[in-house]
Every structure is written in C-alpha cells, then in structure tokens.
Amino acid sequence: MSGKSLSEQEGLNSVPNAAARISTEATITRDPAEVRVGSAAGTGEEKAMSLVESKDLTKTYQAGEVEVKALKGISFAIEPASFVSFVGPSGSGKTTLLNLVGCLDKPTSGQLRVVGTDVATLGRAEGATFRGRNIGFVFQDFNLIPVLTVFENIEYPLLMVECCGARERRERVETLLEAVGMADQKKKFPSQISGGQKQRVAVARALVADPKLVLADEPTANLDHETAFMVINLMKSLKKERKTTFVFSTHDPKIVGEAEIVYTLEDGLVTNLEDRRAGHA
Amino acid sequence: MLNIVKIALRNLLRYKRRTLLTSLLITIGVLAVLLFSSITGAFKSLMVGQITDSMLGHLQVHKRGYVASIDNLPLHMNLRPKEMETIEKVLDALPEVEAYSPRIKFGGMFSNFEETTNIRLNGVDPEQEILTAPLLPKRMLQGAAGDALLRPGEILVPELLARGMKVKLGDTVVIVATNRDGSVNAQTLTVRGVLEGISGPGGRDGYIHIKDARTLLRIEKKEANEYAVRLKKADDLDKVHAELSAAFAGELNKEGKPKYEIHTWEKLSPFYNIARMIDVMTFFIKVMLIAIVLVSVMNVMIMAVFERMKEIGTIAAIGTRPGKILALFLVEGLSLGILGSAAGTLFSLAAIFALKVNPLSFDFGRQKGLVLSPTLDVNEIMIASVLVVLVSALASLQPAFKASRMEPVTAMRQV
C-alpha cells in the first residue's frame, strides 16, 4: 500500500495504537463519523451526508456446529460519489460486508445505515424495494439473465423494479448502452457475448435505475487483466459522470491501485484505510 | 404482467425438451379425458335417447303402487276416466311438456294358430304415442309406420317373438288376455310390423291400438294404467318432476296417501345405473388427469427453481419483490398447463372429426351395429381446461413460493 495507515491519516481521529486497531472491539474507530471517507469528510454538517454508516458491525454464521465470526465489529462511513475498495484475502469478510451493505443479509449486531435507512429494520419485500431504488449490483459471475437480451437485461430493473414508461426506459437503456460501449450488441443474448462484455452489461444494469450506490463483489475476478482494467475504468468514469458511489471488493493488487479509498480487511476486521485522493494522501 | 409472461415463456423455451415432454403428457391427459367423455357421452345420449324417445318417455305417471308391481301388469290399478282427466289437465297446463300418451299395459297369450306363447302388450293411441315416443316408428324392422303407427285390428310384434313364432307381415294372430275380473277374451289381429327389440323395460313389448286393448280387456270406459310424458327439453326433467309432484300433492287416496306416482326415466330404466357408472369412470379419468398435471408440472417447476437458484438470487438482489418472483414461476407453470390443454383440445377436436368421418359402430346386448356420433361439448372442454390450468397453478405454487421466499445471499451461493 502506498498510502498512510489509518492512524496516520489527517482528519481521522482514530485508534490510539496498533494493538487496539486489530482487536475485535476496535476496528478503525468506534465512531463512524471518525472514519468518514469520501468526497467531503470531517465537518459536522457533512456527517449527515454519509451514504453508508456502520458501527460495531458483526456477522456470525452457523456452519454446522461451528460458529464462524465473519465480521468482528467494523465501523466506517462512506460518503457519496466515492470510489471505494475493500481488499483482503479470501475469508477476510469482504463479501459478507458487501452483502450487509447491499441489504442482502442482516448483521448479527451493530448498526448499519445505508442511504439513511437502518437496514436491520427492512423486511423481505421492503428490502427488495430499497435495493431496487438505491443500490446497484455487479457480481463476480456477471449474473445476467440468460433468457433476456443485452438490452432487456439492462432494462430489467426498470421493468420489474422501477416500473417507468417505455420511452423513458428505452432512453435510459440506450444511454447506458452507449456509455458502456455495448450499443451494437444490444440484441445479443448473454451466451453470445464475452466475459468482459457481460460485465459491462452488468455495470449498465447496476446503473440503469440511477442508484446512489453500486456494489461490486470481485467484479474482475473472472476477467483477464486488460478487460478487468477496462471494467474498473468504466466504473470510474461512470462514477465521475454520474456521481454514483462505487464500492467494490477485490484481492487483485493491480485493480486495487485504481481505487480512491481502500479498506483492508483481515479476519473480519478493518486493518488499514488508505485514501488516495488529492488532499488526503 | 406482460413482461412476466414474456420471461416465463422464454424460460420454458430454454428447456425445450423438458417443456415438450411435460406439455405432451398434459396433452395426452386432456385428450384422454375429452375423448372418453365425448365417446361415452355419445353412447349415453344414444342409449338414453332410445329409452326415452322410443319407449319410456321422459316421465311416467301411474296410480300409486303400480310401478312396484309392474312385473304383474296389474289391471286393477288402472286410472279411471276422472283420474285421467285430472292428469291430462295438469299435463296440458305445463309448458315444458311436449306430448303425453296414455297406455294400457297388459300381459296375454300370443297365438299363430299353431303355437302359443306369452306376450306383453301396450295398448296405445298411435297419434299420441308417436308424439311421445318419436323414435318408435324407426324400430320397425318390417312394415312401415306410414300414415299411422297402428290402426284398430293391427299389432306390432316384437322381433324375437316374430322370429320364434314365424309370423310375417299381414299374418293373422290371436291375442288372448284375462281381464280385471278374471274372465278370458280373445281377439284376432293382423301383423302390421315387426319391432326391433331394445335394451330396457318395454324393449320387447308388442303394440296394439288402445281401442283394441279396451275391447280385449272388456274395459267399457276410457281407462289407462300409464301416462308416458315427453318433455320439450330433457334438462327440465327434475323441474317438471317437482312441478308434477306439487300439482298432484293434493290428490290423495282413501288412505290419505298421494294418489299418483311420478317416475323419471332414470328410476324406471336400469340403464341409468350404467350411465352413472360411466359418469364415475369419467370422474376417475379426470382424477388421473389431475394427478398427471400435478406431478408433471410440480416436477418441472421444482427442477426449474432448483436449477435457477442463482438467477433467483440475482433478481431478488437487484430489487425484484417476492410477489413478482412468485408470479414469474406461477406463470411459467400456468403456461405449461395452458399449452398442454390447448394442444389436448386441438388433438381431441381432430380425433372427433376423424370419428365423424369414420363412424364408430358397436353392439350393445342384442342391438347390433349401433353407430356413435361423438361430439365435443363446450362445457367438457371448459371443465378439462380450467381443471388443468387450476392444477398447474396449484402445482407451481409450492416451488414458486419457495423461490419467492429465498434469501438472495443463500440463493446466489448455490451453484
């Protein structure tokens, strides 16, 4: 990592020492406001603008008779229009954390607010509506719907979730098709396009409902390096253009280099935070 | 909704062979039900038509207790002129009644001057009898009804008796009968026709003119022991039965019990039990169809949910509400049912058309070469189709519900 460690960064009145940082109790900080990262951090006024706020977040799974502590108390905050990456080895808790932030799973304890909503209070149907309106997803395996064309895959959230008019749908899908460079492939089915193209379609699908947050779990894991960079750069440029917050997980060091803010996870704890934006380095 | 249907249909096309096999199974089930009910329906209406239109009529009115001792053909239970008047007045007042025919049924001896045997006879008014049993003239194997079914002095002889006694058209025969008082009388009659014997009560009876019957039995006044009633619409049977029962409710005998008894053809003919058995068989064929649809659609839908867990997780993750996921799978199962029932109906129509071109003939008892003309009742098509669609929905419900309740994270973890 080229950036400073968490305790060294300005504006982050964080953990007093390394021992505390890696403990289950204290991760980055005990107050999400203290680990506020993104376009504008630090002032009390901006605190209310956090897109994601987590405090002492834990997640425990029951694997047979064994209890697996995937997250051991994580606190952080993500501001709008950030390009954030969670990195760490397999089993460090990246996917679990993204699942919680994406309201796909519920925390065992701690607080998690996404777009001002306490996700623990959302029921099954409310959770679906909330995700449809506020969160876009990009999956490692692309997860396109095989029976729908490229155009229809991107259109899907508008049809099944947002329910907007045909003209508006067409315009929004066409715009994104152009943005991800897939306009000429719109009539093809997922089985007829390459992995990189699939992921571009997945990015377009994630953005079509104009969500505040896009979560991408290992979006480049199934792509070659060149395509992976292309997808990451596409996400970066769309973030700039649309002011959407992108949060992705990866364990590919080269891809990590493209992120503006990098959280390092190890054994269910955040062990490092790196902010590479101008004025934060 | 259209989008849900579109996705459901595409998912069905995704597994072409499986969809084809399942639809084929449902198609065969629907075909079996429709063909069976069509052919048995044709058989039933042929037989019921024969029974009601050439013998019994739809309803019969007798004096109370007559039917219980009908095998003896008792003459002391005859309807007297006043009673006949009452009955005819009631029947004339009912708009559902097309015609009625008073009959004197009695037993006697039939002689060709060489041999003698017993015979059951109906003394009828030919004009009223033809109106009440319009198919009776068609049963004449020899001779023709012509301008009248019978004239006084003539007899229609049942086929078996004519064959056994070696009598032909124009032959003179003697009928000997015992009257109500026990005295015997005889009358010579000319054979006007030979009647085909049919299954059921009265199917092997002879016919003479009612005037001859009265003369033979020395009945001086207008009397009968049976009224056969024909309705304009056979479906009004229960309604008219109820109306007649109500109309005769006030007519009581000396014992204070109803004077008359009204029987529908169903109570008089044993064929009704065969018809009911056919209905029971049709019911069980329908139960088999339900089982076929239930098992095949449920199997396909369970497989579909199992195979598409990751897809279900994805659509749930990107915000599809559980209700829409449920609808997606429900429509998929329903589409299978609709496809199968539509194909089954089409094939059934084609099969019925083929049967019309090449009619199916069969023997029933002593009746040879009966020709079936099956038709497909719209109600039967509707019942079979609605049944298949409902059962398809029911069969898809559990897998669809399972899909809609799936947690996105759990679903996406499945391979």
Side-chain angles (χ1 to χ4, degrees):
Chain A
M1 298 277 167
S2 58
K4 294 174 181 175
S5 71
L6 178 66
S7 57
E8 293 169 324
Q9 287 183 59
E10 286 178 18
L12 296 176
N13 186 12
S14 58
V15 287
N17 56 54
R21 202 169 60 225
I22 57 168
S23 75
T24 53
E25 275 295 307
T27 54
I28 293 177
T29 173
R30 289 181 183 83
D31 182 356
E34 292 174 272
V35 192
R36 189 166 304 285
V37 292
S39 57
T43 68
E45 187 191 336
E46 287 145 0
K47 185 177 173 179
M49 287 171 64
S50 288
L51 200 62
V52 182
E53 279 184 313
S54 137
K55 191 175 181 186
D56 296 333
L57 201 61
T58 71
K59 180 70 189 175
T60 307
Y61 291 112
Q62 199 68 36
E65 288 179 3
V66 184
E67 209 173 61
V68 180
K69 288 186 177 172
L71 297 178
K72 297 172 181 169
I74 289 180
S75 304
F76 65 93
I78 297 172
E79 301 302 324
S82 318
F83 201 67
V84 181
S85 173
F86 286 96
V87 298
S90 292
S92 58
K94 304 185 296 289
T95 301
T96 305
L97 186 59
L98 284 196
N99 284 343
L100 292 179
V101 174
C103 310
L104 298 174
D105 208 350
K106 297 234 164 96
T108 306
S109 69
Q111 268 192 1
L112 178 63
R113 294 182 76 81
V114 180
V115 198
T117 303
D118 183 353
V119 299
T121 61
L122 293 173
R124 194 187 301 271
E126 293 85 14
T129 309
F130 180 80
R131 287 193 299 272
R133 285 185 185 147
N134 298 296
I135 307 170
F137 290 91
V138 179
F139 303 99
Q140 179 180 341
D141 296 327
F142 327 122
N143 293 19
L144 298 180
I145 301 164
V147 295
L148 300 181
T149 62
V150 164
F151 185 96
E152 288 164 342
N153 259 290
I154 300 171
E155 192 188 24
Y156 182 90
L158 299 178
L159 273 174
M160 304 295 272
V161 183
E162 279 270 300
C163 298
C164 54
R167 193 173 170 179
E168 189 189 341
R169 282 202 311 268
R170 198 177 56 247
E171 279 171 8
R172 283 165 83 165
V173 176
E174 298 280 2
T175 308
L176 274 163
L177 274 167
E178 288 292 337
V180 299
M182 289 294 289
D184 56 338
Q185 311 283 324
K186 65 179 178 182
K187 286 181 181 164
K188 287 188 177 170
F189 284 92
S191 59
Q192 297 168 311
I193 56 176
S194 69
Q197 287 175 321
K198 281 180 195 168
Q199 204 57 305
R200 277 147 67 190
V201 175
V203 171
R205 179 179 67 182
L207 285 165
V208 76
D210 221 0
K212 296 178 177 67
L213 176 68
V214 171
L215 298 173
D217 187 14
E218 310 247 14
T220 58
N222 284 341
L223 303 174
D224 59 72
H225 264 126
E226 197 182 332
T227 317
F229 273 112
M230 211 171 75
V231 168
I232 290 293
N233 285 329
L234 173 69
M235 283 162 60
K236 248 178 143 174
S237 66
L238 288 169
K239 171 243 160 188
K240 234 181 222 172
E241 215 175 276
R242 296 173 160 254
K243 306 284 177 221
T244 309
T245 301
F246 277 82
V247 178
F248 65 97
S249 70
T250 185
H251 55 253
D252 184 341
K254 287 175 190 159
I255 298 299
V256 174
E258 297 298 316
E260 291 171 353
I261 298 150
V262 180
Y263 285 96
T264 306
L265 287 174
E266 272 175 41
D267 292 330
L269 291 166
V270 174
T271 54
N272 193 34
L273 167 64
E274 195 178 335
D275 193 340
R276 298 157 173 169
R277 291 163 304 159
H280 294 270
Chain B
M1 190 63 196
L2 269 177
N3 294 303
I4 288 176
V5 174
K6 182 177 83 178
I7 295 173
L9 289 179
R10 286 201 194 166
N11 274 319
L12 283 180
L13 288 174
R14 183 170 165 188
Y15 305 103
K16 286 189 187 74
R17 192 180 302 171
R18 189 194 296 168
T19 302
L20 190 72
L21 284 174
T22 311
S23 307
L24 199 65
L25 210 58
I26 299 171
T27 302
I28 292 169
V30 172
L31 182 71
V33 167
L34 290 182
L35 267 188
F36 185 81
S37 59
S38 163
I39 290 171
T40 54
F43 170 69
K44 257 168 60 183
S45 30
L46 176 77
M47 297 309 291
V48 172
Q50 274 196 349
I51 291 164
T52 58
D53 297 356
S54 71
M55 288 193 303
L56 297 180
H58 293 115
L59 288 147
Q60 289 189 353
V61 183
H62 304 95
K63 207 166 216 181
R64 183 181 167 80
Y66 183 84
V67 171
S69 50
I70 200 164
D71 284 344
N72 315 327
L73 299 172
L75 292 169
H76 68 278
M77 295 176 108
N78 280 4
L79 297 157
R80 307 295 165 150
K82 224 174 178 183
E83 292 164 340
M84 286 176 71
E85 215 173 279
T86 310
I87 291 170
E88 287 180 14
K89 205 171 156 189
V90 169
L91 291 174
D92 286 335
L94 287 177
E96 295 91 349
V97 172
E98 174 141 334
Y100 56 84
S101 173
R103 294 169 177 168
I104 298 176
K105 291 173 95 83
F106 65 102
M109 303 298 285
F110 177 95
S111 170
N112 61 0
F113 299 101
E114 287 175 4
E115 289 176 87
T116 304
T117 187
N118 58 330
I119 185 170
R120 289 166 59 103
L121 286 163
N122 290 287
V124 297
D125 177 323
E127 283 174 19
Q128 282 182 279
E129 187 65 19
I130 279 188
L131 291 173
T132 309
L135 291 184
L136 184 59
K138 291 189 179 163
R139 283 174 55 200
M140 284 176 73
L141 299 172
Q142 293 174 38
D147 54 337
L149 182 70
L150 271 174
R151 289 193 194 88
E154 292 178 336
I155 182 169
L156 300 177
V157 185
E159 180 197 3
L160 282 178
L161 195 134
R163 204 187 298 159
M165 297 293 282
K166 296 184 185 69
V167 293
K168 310 184 294 292
L169 293 184
D171 283 359
T172 303
V173 295
V174 179
I175 298 295
V176 183
T178 308
N179 72 6
R180 193 162 44 210
D181 304 324
S183 62
V184 177
N185 197 14
Q187 190 173 354
T188 52
L189 297 161
T190 309
V191 177
R192 181 182 172 89
V194 175
L195 280 179
E196 178 195 23
I198 59 170
S199 311
R204 289 168 200 169
D205 288 2
Y207 284 79
I208 60 171
H209 200 286
I210 196 162
K211 285 179 185 168
D212 290 336
R214 283 179 188 146
T215 310
L216 186 64
L217 297 170
R218 292 195 176 108
I219 297 170
E220 288 169 5
K221 293 179 186 166
K222 189 184 169 191
E223 273 185 35
N225 49 27
E226 176 173 293
Y227 266 89
V229 182
R230 179 174 176 76
L231 303 179
K232 286 175 184 159
K233 284 189 283 179
D235 293 344
D236 288 335
L237 193 66
D238 292 332
K239 185 184 165 202
V240 175
H241 182 265
E243 282 173 350
L244 283 175
S245 301
F248 293 136
E251 300 285 330
L252 302 174
N253 59 18
K254 285 174 191 168
E255 292 159 356
K257 290 181 176 166
K259 212 175 201 177
Y260 311 110
E261 56 187 18
I262 306 119
H263 290 97
T264 61
W265 72 267
E266 294 166 347
K267 299 275 183 231
L268 297 167
S269 170
F271 182 77
Y272 179 64
N273 292 325
I274 298 176
R276 282 188 64 186
M277 224 162 74
I278 291 170
D279 290 342
V280 171
M281 282 162 72
T282 311
F283 171 76
F284 279 107
I285 295 255
K286 281 179 187 160
V287 170
M288 279 163 66
L289 173 71
I290 291 173
I292 288 172
V293 176
L294 196 72
V295 170
S296 52
V297 173
M298 195 180 246
N299 186 36
V300 165
M301 294 317 295
I302 287 173
M303 285 293 286
V305 170
F306 184 74
E307 286 171 348
R308 300 201 324 247
M309 283 225 186
K310 200 169 173 180
E311 212 174 297
I312 295 164
T314 305
I315 60 171
I318 61 179
T320 313
R321 288 175 72 93
K324 280 195 175 168
I325 299 176
L326 183 100
L328 210 58
F329 282 88
L330 214 55
V331 169
E332 210 171 308
L334 268 176
S335 305
L336 266 177
I338 291 168
L339 198 71
S341 66
T345 305
L346 282 178
F347 281 120
S348 303
L349 285 170
I352 300 294
F353 179 74
L355 283 175
K356 279 208 184 297
V357 176
N358 303 296
L360 203 65
S361 68
F362 70 105
D363 300 336
F364 186 72
R366 292 195 56 83
Q367 291 175 271
K368 306 281 178 201
L370 293 171
V371 177
L372 279 183
S373 52
T375 51
L376 212 44
D377 186 13
V378 179
N379 283 341
E380 278 297 326
I381 296 176
M382 290 300 288
I383 289 170
S385 304
V386 168
L387 203 67
V388 168
V389 172
L390 282 181
V391 174
S392 303
L394 194 73
S396 320
L397 204 59
Q398 191 272 338
F401 189 70
K402 188 183 170 185
S404 72
R405 302 289 297 171
M406 227 172 254
E407 289 294 343
V409 171
T410 319
M412 281 193 290
R413 221 177 274 143
Q414 310 291 325
V415 180

